[in-house]
mmCIF file of all heavy atoms in Angstrom:
data_model
loop_
_atom_site.group_PDB
_atom_site.id
_atom_site.type_symbol
_atom_site.label_atom_id
_atom_site.label_comp_id
_atom_site.label_asym_id
_atom_site.label_seq_id
_atom_site.Cartn_x
_atom_site.Cartn_y
_atom_site.Cartn_z
ATOM 1 N N LEU O 224 -1.439 0.863 -5.006
ATOM 2 C CA LEU O 224 -0.803 2.165 -4.836
ATOM 3 C C LEU O 224 0.603 1.931 -4.288
ATOM 4 O O LEU O 224 0.774 1.173 -3.323
ATOM 5 C CB LEU O 224 -1.594 3.057 -3.887
ATOM 6 C CG LEU O 224 -1.023 4.471 -3.769
ATOM 7 C CD1 LEU O 224 -1.332 5.285 -5.027
ATOM 8 C CD2 LEU O 224 -1.540 5.180 -2.532
ATOM 9 N N LEU O 225 1.590 2.578 -4.882
ATOM 10 C CA LEU O 225 2.991 2.333 -4.547
ATOM 11 C C LEU O 225 3.625 3.582 -3.949
ATOM 12 O O LEU O 225 3.420 4.697 -4.458
ATOM 13 C CB LEU O 225 3.754 1.907 -5.798
ATOM 14 C CG LEU O 225 3.158 0.704 -6.548
ATOM 15 C CD1 LEU O 225 3.855 0.520 -7.878
ATOM 16 C CD2 LEU O 225 3.245 -0.565 -5.695
ATOM 17 N N VAL O 226 4.385 3.391 -2.893
ATOM 18 C CA VAL O 226 5.105 4.498 -2.279
ATOM 19 C C VAL O 226 6.386 4.764 -3.076
ATOM 20 O O VAL O 226 7.082 3.831 -3.484
ATOM 21 C CB VAL O 226 5.440 4.199 -0.814
ATOM 22 C CG1 VAL O 226 6.367 5.259 -0.233
ATOM 23 C CG2 VAL O 226 4.172 4.125 0.010
ATOM 24 N N ASP O 227 6.684 6.026 -3.292
ATOM 25 C CA ASP O 227 7.893 6.424 -3.989
ATOM 26 C C ASP O 227 9.121 5.892 -3.236
ATOM 27 O O ASP O 227 9.296 6.191 -2.054
ATOM 28 C CB ASP O 227 7.935 7.956 -4.051
ATOM 29 C CG ASP O 227 9.083 8.504 -4.884
ATOM 30 O OD1 ASP O 227 9.977 7.726 -5.280
ATOM 31 O OD2 ASP O 227 9.091 9.727 -5.124
ATOM 32 N N PRO O 228 9.988 5.090 -3.886
ATOM 33 C CA PRO O 228 11.186 4.614 -3.187
ATOM 34 C C PRO O 228 12.082 5.747 -2.696
ATOM 35 O O PRO O 228 12.858 5.556 -1.752
ATOM 36 C CB PRO O 228 11.907 3.776 -4.260
ATOM 37 C CG PRO O 228 10.853 3.409 -5.239
ATOM 38 C CD PRO O 228 9.889 4.556 -5.259
ATOM 39 N N PHE O 229 11.985 6.922 -3.328
ATOM 40 C CA PHE O 229 12.800 8.066 -2.944
ATOM 41 C C PHE O 229 12.034 9.040 -2.037
ATOM 42 O O PHE O 229 12.507 10.153 -1.798
ATOM 43 C CB PHE O 229 13.315 8.792 -4.191
ATOM 44 C CG PHE O 229 14.488 8.114 -4.827
ATOM 45 C CD1 PHE O 229 14.309 6.959 -5.591
ATOM 46 C CD2 PHE O 229 15.777 8.581 -4.662
ATOM 47 C CE1 PHE O 229 15.386 6.312 -6.186
ATOM 48 C CE2 PHE O 229 16.858 7.948 -5.243
ATOM 49 C CZ PHE O 229 16.676 6.798 -6.010
ATOM 50 N N ALA O 230 10.881 8.634 -1.535
ATOM 51 C CA ALA O 230 10.126 9.492 -0.622
ATOM 52 C C ALA O 230 10.960 9.790 0.620
ATOM 53 O O ALA O 230 11.621 8.906 1.174
ATOM 54 C CB ALA O 230 8.814 8.834 -0.227
ATOM 55 N N THR O 231 10.888 11.032 1.091
ATOM 56 C CA THR O 231 11.596 11.407 2.315
ATOM 57 C C THR O 231 10.643 11.660 3.482
ATOM 58 O O THR O 231 11.097 11.909 4.603
ATOM 59 C CB THR O 231 12.440 12.664 2.079
ATOM 60 O OG1 THR O 231 11.593 13.740 1.649
ATOM 61 C CG2 THR O 231 13.499 12.409 1.009
ATOM 62 N N ARG O 232 9.339 11.579 3.190
ATOM 63 C CA ARG O 232 8.358 11.716 4.265
ATOM 64 C C ARG O 232 7.065 11.030 3.849
ATOM 65 O O ARG O 232 6.702 11.038 2.664
ATOM 66 C CB ARG O 232 8.101 13.197 4.563
ATOM 67 C CG ARG O 232 7.327 13.432 5.868
ATOM 68 C CD ARG O 232 7.274 14.899 6.227
ATOM 69 N NE ARG O 232 6.559 15.081 7.495
ATOM 70 C CZ ARG O 232 6.247 16.252 8.028
ATOM 71 N NH1 ARG O 232 6.626 17.372 7.400
ATOM 72 N NH2 ARG O 232 5.590 16.323 9.160
ATOM 73 N N ILE O 233 6.372 10.403 4.818
ATOM 74 C CA ILE O 233 5.068 9.797 4.567
ATOM 75 C C ILE O 233 4.090 10.300 5.609
ATOM 76 O O ILE O 233 4.482 10.794 6.662
ATOM 77 C CB ILE O 233 5.129 8.256 4.573
ATOM 78 C CG1 ILE O 233 5.674 7.730 5.908
ATOM 79 C CG2 ILE O 233 5.972 7.747 3.410
ATOM 80 C CD1 ILE O 233 5.660 6.218 6.033
ATOM 81 N N ASP O 234 2.778 10.151 5.294
ATOM 82 C CA ASP O 234 1.774 10.762 6.156
ATOM 83 C C ASP O 234 1.351 9.903 7.339
ATOM 84 O O ASP O 234 0.720 10.390 8.276
ATOM 85 C CB ASP O 234 0.544 11.182 5.340
ATOM 86 C CG ASP O 234 -0.195 10.006 4.720
ATOM 87 O OD1 ASP O 234 0.294 8.858 4.799
ATOM 88 O OD2 ASP O 234 -1.278 10.237 4.127
ATOM 89 N N ARG O 235 1.666 8.609 7.323
ATOM 90 C CA ARG O 235 1.331 7.739 8.442
ATOM 91 C C ARG O 235 2.181 6.470 8.351
ATOM 92 O O ARG O 235 2.847 6.242 7.347
ATOM 93 C CB ARG O 235 -0.162 7.387 8.463
ATOM 94 C CG ARG O 235 -0.693 6.742 7.196
ATOM 95 C CD ARG O 235 -2.226 6.655 7.237
ATOM 96 N NE ARG O 235 -2.813 6.279 5.970
ATOM 97 C CZ ARG O 235 -3.171 5.044 5.633
ATOM 98 N NH1 ARG O 235 -2.958 4.046 6.462
ATOM 99 N NH2 ARG O 235 -3.722 4.802 4.459
ATOM 100 N N ARG O 236 2.136 5.666 9.401
ATOM 101 C CA ARG O 236 2.939 4.454 9.446
ATOM 102 C C ARG O 236 2.388 3.414 8.472
ATOM 103 O O ARG O 236 1.226 3.472 8.054
ATOM 104 C CB ARG O 236 2.923 3.863 10.846
ATOM 105 C CG ARG O 236 1.518 3.553 11.355
ATOM 106 C CD ARG O 236 1.535 2.699 12.611
ATOM 107 N NE ARG O 236 1.994 1.351 12.325
ATOM 108 C CZ ARG O 236 1.878 0.345 13.198
ATOM 109 N NH1 ARG O 236 1.346 0.546 14.395
ATOM 110 N NH2 ARG O 236 2.312 -0.861 12.892
ATOM 111 N N PHE O 237 3.227 2.435 8.140
ATOM 112 C CA PHE O 237 2.778 1.274 7.379
ATOM 113 C C PHE O 237 2.084 0.284 8.325
ATOM 114 O O PHE O 237 2.515 0.100 9.467
ATOM 115 C CB PHE O 237 3.954 0.575 6.705
ATOM 116 C CG PHE O 237 4.509 1.321 5.528
ATOM 117 C CD1 PHE O 237 5.594 2.180 5.680
ATOM 118 C CD2 PHE O 237 3.943 1.179 4.271
ATOM 119 C CE1 PHE O 237 6.106 2.872 4.600
ATOM 120 C CE2 PHE O 237 4.448 1.878 3.180
ATOM 121 C CZ PHE O 237 5.536 2.716 3.348
ATOM 122 N N ALA O 238 1.030 -0.325 7.841
ATOM 123 C CA ALA O 238 0.324 -1.359 8.609
ATOM 124 C C ALA O 238 0.050 -2.537 7.678
ATOM 125 O O ALA O 238 -0.529 -2.365 6.591
ATOM 126 C CB ALA O 238 -0.994 -0.809 9.168
ATOM 127 N N PHE O 239 0.485 -3.728 8.094
ATOM 128 C CA PHE O 239 0.276 -4.883 7.232
ATOM 129 C C PHE O 239 -1.208 -5.226 7.146
ATOM 130 O O PHE O 239 -1.941 -5.218 8.129
ATOM 131 C CB PHE O 239 1.041 -6.106 7.736
ATOM 132 C CG PHE O 239 0.838 -7.305 6.865
ATOM 133 C CD1 PHE O 239 1.547 -7.448 5.689
ATOM 134 C CD2 PHE O 239 -0.103 -8.283 7.187
ATOM 135 C CE1 PHE O 239 1.335 -8.533 4.841
ATOM 136 C CE2 PHE O 239 -0.321 -9.378 6.372
ATOM 137 C CZ PHE O 239 0.404 -9.495 5.189
ATOM 138 N N ASP O 240 -1.634 -5.558 5.909
ATOM 139 C CA ASP O 240 -2.994 -6.010 5.637
ATOM 140 C C ASP O 240 -2.878 -7.061 4.552
ATOM 141 O O ASP O 240 -2.193 -6.848 3.541
ATOM 142 C CB ASP O 240 -3.859 -4.831 5.170
ATOM 143 C CG ASP O 240 -5.335 -5.196 5.053
ATOM 144 O OD1 ASP O 240 -5.667 -6.091 4.241
ATOM 145 O OD2 ASP O 240 -6.163 -4.591 5.744
ATOM 146 N N PRO O 241 -3.516 -8.224 4.701
ATOM 147 C CA PRO O 241 -3.394 -9.277 3.684
ATOM 148 C C PRO O 241 -3.783 -8.816 2.287
ATOM 149 O O PRO O 241 -3.287 -9.364 1.296
ATOM 150 C CB PRO O 241 -4.341 -10.371 4.195
ATOM 151 C CG PRO O 241 -4.449 -10.144 5.661
ATOM 152 C CD PRO O 241 -4.346 -8.656 5.846
ATOM 153 N N ARG O 242 -4.641 -7.793 2.188
ATOM 154 C CA ARG O 242 -5.046 -7.311 0.872
ATOM 155 C C ARG O 242 -3.897 -6.674 0.102
ATOM 156 O O ARG O 242 -3.942 -6.583 -1.123
ATOM 157 C CB ARG O 242 -6.202 -6.318 1.026
ATOM 158 C CG ARG O 242 -7.521 -6.947 1.468
ATOM 159 C CD ARG O 242 -8.552 -5.898 1.795
ATOM 160 N NE ARG O 242 -8.230 -5.173 3.013
ATOM 161 C CZ ARG O 242 -8.944 -4.169 3.500
ATOM 162 N NH1 ARG O 242 -10.022 -3.741 2.847
ATOM 163 N NH2 ARG O 242 -8.585 -3.569 4.629
ATOM 164 N N LEU O 243 -2.850 -6.286 0.802
ATOM 165 C CA LEU O 243 -1.693 -5.708 0.135
ATOM 166 C C LEU O 243 -0.919 -6.758 -0.679
ATOM 167 O O LEU O 243 -0.107 -6.405 -1.538
ATOM 168 C CB LEU O 243 -0.749 -5.079 1.163
ATOM 169 C CG LEU O 243 -1.307 -3.869 1.923
ATOM 170 C CD1 LEU O 243 -0.397 -3.508 3.084
ATOM 171 C CD2 LEU O 243 -1.475 -2.673 0.978
ATOM 172 N N ALA O 244 -1.175 -8.030 -0.408
ATOM 173 C CA ALA O 244 -0.476 -9.117 -1.096
ATOM 174 C C ALA O 244 -1.360 -9.875 -2.076
ATOM 175 O O ALA O 244 -0.918 -10.872 -2.649
ATOM 176 C CB ALA O 244 0.102 -10.084 -0.060
ATOM 177 N N LEU O 245 -2.576 -9.410 -2.311
ATOM 178 C CA LEU O 245 -3.466 -10.120 -3.228
ATOM 179 C C LEU O 245 -2.960 -10.041 -4.665
ATOM 180 O O LEU O 245 -2.370 -9.039 -5.068
ATOM 181 C CB LEU O 245 -4.879 -9.539 -3.156
ATOM 182 C CG LEU O 245 -5.654 -9.802 -1.856
ATOM 183 C CD1 LEU O 245 -6.992 -9.074 -1.890
ATOM 184 C CD2 LEU O 245 -5.850 -11.291 -1.641
ATOM 185 N N PRO O 246 -3.182 -11.089 -5.477
ATOM 186 C CA PRO O 246 -2.734 -11.057 -6.876
ATOM 187 C C PRO O 246 -3.549 -10.052 -7.694
ATOM 188 O O PRO O 246 -4.635 -9.603 -7.288
ATOM 189 C CB PRO O 246 -2.965 -12.488 -7.351
ATOM 190 C CG PRO O 246 -4.025 -13.013 -6.455
ATOM 191 C CD PRO O 246 -3.806 -12.373 -5.123
ATOM 192 N N ARG O 247 -3.044 -9.761 -8.873
ATOM 193 C CA ARG O 247 -3.646 -8.742 -9.731
ATOM 194 C C ARG O 247 -5.108 -9.051 -10.051
ATOM 195 O O ARG O 247 -5.943 -8.126 -10.112
ATOM 196 C CB ARG O 247 -2.829 -8.606 -11.018
ATOM 197 C CG ARG O 247 -3.425 -7.627 -12.024
ATOM 198 C CD ARG O 247 -2.478 -7.371 -13.179
ATOM 199 N NE ARG O 247 -3.101 -6.514 -14.193
ATOM 200 C CZ ARG O 247 -2.465 -5.604 -14.895
ATOM 201 N NH1 ARG O 247 -1.164 -5.410 -14.705
ATOM 202 N NH2 ARG O 247 -3.090 -4.881 -15.801
ATOM 203 N N GLU O 248 -5.442 -10.311 -10.246
ATOM 204 C CA GLU O 248 -6.805 -10.636 -10.673
ATOM 205 C C GLU O 248 -7.857 -10.283 -9.624
ATOM 206 O O GLU O 248 -9.042 -10.152 -9.937
ATOM 207 C CB GLU O 248 -6.921 -12.119 -11.046
ATOM 208 C CG GLU O 248 -6.532 -13.096 -9.963
ATOM 209 C CD GLU O 248 -5.101 -13.553 -10.105
ATOM 210 O OE1 GLU O 248 -4.274 -12.798 -10.695
ATOM 211 O OE2 GLU O 248 -4.788 -14.670 -9.641
ATOM 212 N N GLU O 249 -7.430 -10.074 -8.381
ATOM 213 C CA GLU O 249 -8.371 -9.675 -7.337
ATOM 214 C C GLU O 249 -8.809 -8.213 -7.495
ATOM 215 O O GLU O 249 -9.861 -7.828 -7.003
ATOM 216 C CB GLU O 249 -7.757 -9.884 -5.956
ATOM 217 C CG GLU O 249 -7.449 -11.335 -5.630
ATOM 218 C CD GLU O 249 -8.694 -12.145 -5.389
ATOM 219 O OE1 GLU O 249 -9.757 -11.547 -5.119
ATOM 220 O OE2 GLU O 249 -8.619 -13.392 -5.469
ATOM 221 N N ALA O 250 -7.977 -7.409 -8.148
ATOM 222 C CA ALA O 250 -8.303 -6.007 -8.469
ATOM 223 C C ALA O 250 -8.754 -5.211 -7.242
ATOM 224 O O ALA O 250 -9.711 -4.427 -7.298
ATOM 225 C CB ALA O 250 -9.369 -5.952 -9.555
ATOM 226 N N VAL O 251 -8.060 -5.388 -6.117
ATOM 227 C CA VAL O 251 -8.387 -4.644 -4.896
ATOM 228 C C VAL O 251 -7.530 -3.393 -4.829
ATOM 229 O O VAL O 251 -6.296 -3.459 -4.827
ATOM 230 C CB VAL O 251 -8.148 -5.515 -3.654
ATOM 231 C CG1 VAL O 251 -8.336 -4.682 -2.375
ATOM 232 C CG2 VAL O 251 -9.097 -6.700 -3.646
ATOM 233 N N ASP O 252 -8.180 -2.235 -4.793
ATOM 234 C CA ASP O 252 -7.467 -0.968 -4.718
ATOM 235 C C ASP O 252 -6.856 -0.822 -3.321
ATOM 236 O O ASP O 252 -7.562 -0.834 -2.309
ATOM 237 C CB ASP O 252 -8.431 0.190 -4.985
ATOM 238 C CG ASP O 252 -7.746 1.541 -5.011
ATOM 239 O OD1 ASP O 252 -6.503 1.580 -4.892
ATOM 240 O OD2 ASP O 252 -8.455 2.562 -5.166
ATOM 241 N N THR O 253 -5.537 -0.657 -3.269
ATOM 242 C CA THR O 253 -4.868 -0.591 -1.962
ATOM 243 C C THR O 253 -4.632 0.842 -1.485
ATOM 244 O O THR O 253 -4.035 1.038 -0.410
ATOM 245 C CB THR O 253 -3.513 -1.324 -2.018
ATOM 246 O OG1 THR O 253 -2.652 -0.681 -2.958
ATOM 247 C CG2 THR O 253 -3.701 -2.785 -2.382
ATOM 248 N N ALA O 254 -5.109 1.838 -2.225
ATOM 249 C CA ALA O 254 -4.893 3.218 -1.801
ATOM 250 C C ALA O 254 -5.372 3.488 -0.376
ATOM 251 O O ALA O 254 -4.673 4.169 0.399
ATOM 252 C CB ALA O 254 -5.541 4.186 -2.785
ATOM 253 N N PRO O 255 -6.547 2.978 0.043
ATOM 254 C CA PRO O 255 -6.974 3.249 1.422
ATOM 255 C C PRO O 255 -6.096 2.590 2.486
ATOM 256 O O PRO O 255 -6.147 2.973 3.653
ATOM 257 C CB PRO O 255 -8.392 2.663 1.464
ATOM 258 C CG PRO O 255 -8.842 2.606 0.052
ATOM 259 C CD PRO O 255 -7.609 2.283 -0.731
ATOM 260 N N LEU O 256 -5.302 1.593 2.073
ATOM 261 C CA LEU O 256 -4.490 0.846 3.019
ATOM 262 C C LEU O 256 -3.071 1.390 3.143
ATOM 263 O O LEU O 256 -2.334 0.981 4.057
ATOM 264 C CB LEU O 256 -4.396 -0.629 2.584
ATOM 265 C CG LEU O 256 -5.714 -1.344 2.296
ATOM 266 C CD1 LEU O 256 -5.426 -2.743 1.753
ATOM 267 C CD2 LEU O 256 -6.583 -1.407 3.540
ATOM 268 N N MET O 257 -2.689 2.275 2.248
ATOM 269 C CA MET O 257 -1.293 2.675 2.116
ATOM 270 C C MET O 257 -1.037 4.089 2.626
ATOM 271 O O MET O 257 -1.842 4.996 2.397
ATOM 272 C CB MET O 257 -0.879 2.610 0.647
ATOM 273 C CG MET O 257 -0.685 1.205 0.119
ATOM 274 S SD MET O 257 0.794 0.402 0.803
ATOM 275 C CE MET O 257 2.083 1.365 -0.008
#
């Protein structure tokens, strides 16, 4: 899940999680992390 580069507001802070950097073949949905 990708944040709009032109977003002017978000609902919560960013928090680093190693799953955000997993390659495509891992197929981990990052929506709950973003």
